[in-house]
C-alpha cells in the first residue's frame, strides 16, 4: 500500500464525510432551532465525521472481505505520474495552510499561558465561600480552583495547571458571583474544553474547508447557550432566569476581540447576550423537541449522512480510477522515448501500478520467482519461462535490472491457441509496453529508462487456463549497436506476431 497516497485519501474521505454531515445537520437544525441539546448532538456527530475516516474504512473493508485468504495491499487510489504530481502540489498547499493555522493557535495558547502567569488565588472570603458552595452543589468540590487576574477583562474558565475559573479584578455582589460560577462550572461539567480542543484539531486537519471553520464559530455560541440552560436548571433554587440574564447583560467584554482558547467570555458583544436571551425566551415559548422526535431525527441524521457519505466516497474512487486510467501510459512495443534515470520501484508498487494500468484487481496478479537478470551477456542468454495462468489472471516476474540501450526480444507460445492474451514489460515509471494476440505473440522492447523492469503475461480469457512457454532474448547495448539495432522489430500497432492456431505447431 502506498501509505502517502492513502493518507491523502483518508483526509479527502473524512473531509467529504464531515461536510455532508455538516450540510445535513444545517438542514435539521432548522427543525430544532431552539433545542440546544439536539444541536449539540449534531455538532458532536459532525466533528466525529471530520476526525474518524469511517468512509475509507468501510470501503477498505469492503474490498478486504472479498479477498479473504489472499495477501494483498489495498490502495483505493492508484498513483500515476500526473496524479502523483497533483498530490504533491496539493500536499504542499495543505501543509503550508496547516502550519500557518497551527502556529497561530499555538501563539494564542502561549499568549493565554503568559496571561495566566499573573493568576493569584482568590482572597475575598465571601466570594470564595460562594464558589465553594456552588462547587459543592454541583458535586465538583476540590476539582476546580479560583483565581484573579488583572489581565482578564471577563470571567473565564480555562486550563492552567488544572481547570481554573479566573475572575478579573472587579467587585461582584454575591448574587453576581454565584451566577458567574454556575455558568463557568457548567463549562467544566459539559467538558466544553475537550469539545473545543477536538474542534481545533478538526480545523487544523481540514484547514482548507470553510465548513469546518463555520462549525467552529457556531460551536462557541452553542456552548454558551447550552451552559445557559444548564446553569439556569441547576441553580433554579438560587436565582431566576431573569436575574441570570440581567447579570449577563451587565457583564460585557470591553475589547471586541475573542480569544478562542478562552472557553468562556460571557459574550463578545451585547448583541450576543441579546441573542442568547432571545433563544431562552423562544425555547420557553415554543419548547424543545420531544424525546421521541429527537431520537428519530438523530437516527435519520446519522443514517442519511452515513449513506450519503459512503455513496460520495465510492463515487470519488470511481472518478479517480477513471482519472488514473486516463493519465497512465500504455504504449505498444517498439515505441521509444528519451532515456532518463529514475528511482526503482518496489515489487508491491509495481503490482499496484500494473493492476491500475490493466484495470484489474491487484489480487489477480501473481508475482513468481522467475528473474530475468543475466550477467554477463553471452550466446546463452535466452531465458525460458513456463507458466500455467488461470483465467483472468496475470503472472509477472520479479523485478530485474535493465540499462538504457538494452533490448528484450519476447517470444511467447500460448495454448490453447484461441485464447487471447497480452505480454509486456512494466518499466519503473507509470509506463507499460505491450503486445497482444493468441497462439504465438512476439514483441521487441528497447530499454529507455534505467531501473527495475517486470515481464508479465495477462490471460484475458474469463474461463480458460492458459499455458505459456516464454523465451526472452536479452541483448546488451553493445550487442544491439553491433546488430544495427533493427533486428526483431515488432508490428507498429504492437499486435502479436502470431495468429490464432500458430502456437499449436
Amino acid at each position: 500500500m502506498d501509505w502517502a497516497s492513502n493518507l491523502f485519501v483518508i483526509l479527502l474521505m473524512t473531509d467529504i464525510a464531515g461536510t455532508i454531515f455538516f450540510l445535513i445537520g444545517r438542514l435539521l437544525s432548522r427543525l430544532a432551532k431552539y433545542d440546544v441539546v439536539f444541536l449539540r448532538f449534531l455538532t458532536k456527530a459532525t466533528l466525529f465525521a471530520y476526525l474518524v475516516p469511517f468512509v475509507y474504512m468501510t470501503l477498505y473493508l469492503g474490498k478486504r472481505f472479498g479477498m479473504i485468504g489472499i495477501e494483498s495491499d489495498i490502495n483505493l487510489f492508484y498513483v500515476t505520474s500526473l496524479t502523483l504530481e497533483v498530490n504533491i502540489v496539493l500536499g504542499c498547499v495543505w501543509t503550508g495552510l496547516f502550519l500557518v493555522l497551527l502556529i497561530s493557535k499555538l501563539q494564542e495558547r502561549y499568549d493565554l499561558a503568559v496571561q495566566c502567569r499573573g493568576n493569584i488565588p482568590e482572597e475575598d472570603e465571601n466570594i470564595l465561600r460562594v464558589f465553594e458552595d456552588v462547587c459543592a452543589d454541583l458535586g465538583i468540590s476540590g476539582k476546580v480552583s479560583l483565581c484573579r487576574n488583572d489581565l482578564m477583562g471577563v470571567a473565564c474558565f480555562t486550563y492552567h495547571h488544572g481547570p481554573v475559573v479566573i475572575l478579573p479584578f472587579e467587585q461582584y455582589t454575591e448574587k453576581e458571583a454565584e451566577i458567574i460560577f454556575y455558568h463557568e462550572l457548567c463549562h467544566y461539567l459539559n467538558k466544553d474544553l475537550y469539545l473545543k480542543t477536538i474542534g481545533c484539531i478538526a480545523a487544523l486537519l481540514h484547514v482548507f474547508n470553510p465548513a469546518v471553520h463555520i462549525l467552529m464559530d457556531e460551536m462557541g455560541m452553542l456552548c454558551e447557550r447550552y451552559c445557559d440552560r444548564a446553569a439556569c436548571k441547576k441553580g433554579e433554587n438560587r436565582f431566576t432566569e431573569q436575574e441570570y440574564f440581567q447579570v449577563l447583560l451587565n457583564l460585557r467584554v470591553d475589547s471586541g476581540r475573542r480569544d478562542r482558547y478562552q472557553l468562556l467570555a460571557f459574550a463578545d458583544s451585547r448583541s450576543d447576550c441579546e441573542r442568547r436571551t432571545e433563544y431562552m425566551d423562544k425555547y420557553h415559548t415554543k419548547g424543545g423537541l420531544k424525546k421521541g422526535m429527537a431520537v428519530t431525527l438523530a437516527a435519520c441524521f446519522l443514517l442519511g449522512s452515513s449513506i450519503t457519505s459512503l455513496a460520495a466516497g465510492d463515487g470519488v474512487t470511481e472518478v479517480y480510477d477513471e482519472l488514473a486510467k486516463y493519465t497512465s501510459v500504455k504504449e505498444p512495443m517498439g515505441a521509444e522515448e528519451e532515456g532518463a534515470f529514475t528511482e526503482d520501484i518496489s515489487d508491491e508498487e509495481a503490482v499496484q501500478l500494473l493492476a491500475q494500468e490493466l484495470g484489474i484487481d491487484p489480487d489477480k496478479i501473481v508475482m513468481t520467482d522467475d528473474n530475468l537478470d543475466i550477467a554477463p551477456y553471452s550466446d546463452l542468454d535466452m531465458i525460458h519461462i513456463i507458466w500455467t495462468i488461470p483465467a483472468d489472471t496475470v503472472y509477472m516476474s520479479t523485478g530485474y535490472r535493465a540499462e538504457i540501450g538494452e533490448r528484450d526480444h519476447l517470444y511467447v507460445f500460448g495454448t490453447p491457441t484461441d485464447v487471447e492474451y497480452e505480454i509486456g514489460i512494466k518499466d519503473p515509471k507509470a509506463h507499460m509496453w505491450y503486445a497482444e494476440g493468441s497462439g504465438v505473440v512476439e514483441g521487441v522492447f528497447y530499454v529507455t529508462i534505467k531501473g527495475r523492469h517486470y515481464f508479465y503475461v495477462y490471460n484475458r480469457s474469463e474461463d480458460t487456463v492458459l499455458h505459456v512457454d516464454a523465451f526472452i532474448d536479452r541483448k546488451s547495448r553493445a550487442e544491439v549497436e553491433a546488430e544495427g539495432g533493427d533486428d526483431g522489430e515488432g508490428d507498429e500497432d504492437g499486435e502479436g506476431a502470431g495468429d490464432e492456431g500458430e502456437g499449436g505447431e
Side-chain angles (χ1 to χ4, degrees), residues 162-220:
V164 57
V165 173
I166 305 176
L167 297 178
F169 279 100
E170 300 288 343
Q171 292 293 329
Y172 297 113
T173 66
E174 291 188 10
K175 177 63 69 176
E176 289 175 335
E178 186 177 53
I179 289 175
I180 290 173
F181 293 147
Y182 266 100
H183 183 99
E184 303 288 354
L185 293 173
C186 279
H187 279 295
Y188 173 79
L189 293 175
N190 297 336
K191 295 181 171 52
D192 286 341
L193 178 64
Y194 301 107
L195 183 63
K196 288 200 171 184
T197 300
I198 292 172
C200 183
I201 294 172
L204 286 169
L205 291 176
H206 305 279
V207 60
F208 49 85
N209 190 337
V212 183
H213 302 289
I214 293 173
L215 182 68
M216 283 292 293
D217 289 338
E218 294 180 346
M219 191 166 61

Side-chain angles (χ1 to χ4, degrees), residues 126-143:
N126 291 330
I127 298 298
L128 189 59
R129 175 181 52 78
V130 172
F131 179 75
E132 291 174 348
D133 288 344
V134 174
C135 286
D137 186 43
L138 297 177
I140 55 175
S141 297
K143 296 181 180 180

Side-chain angles (χ1 to χ4, degrees), residues 36-44 190 192 195 222-223 226:
V36 71
V37 177
F38 183 70
L39 295 178
R40 189 178 174 89
F41 166 78
L42 295 181
T43 299
K44 288 182 176 180
N190 297 336
D192 286 341
L195 183 63
L222 183 63
C223 288
Y226 192 78

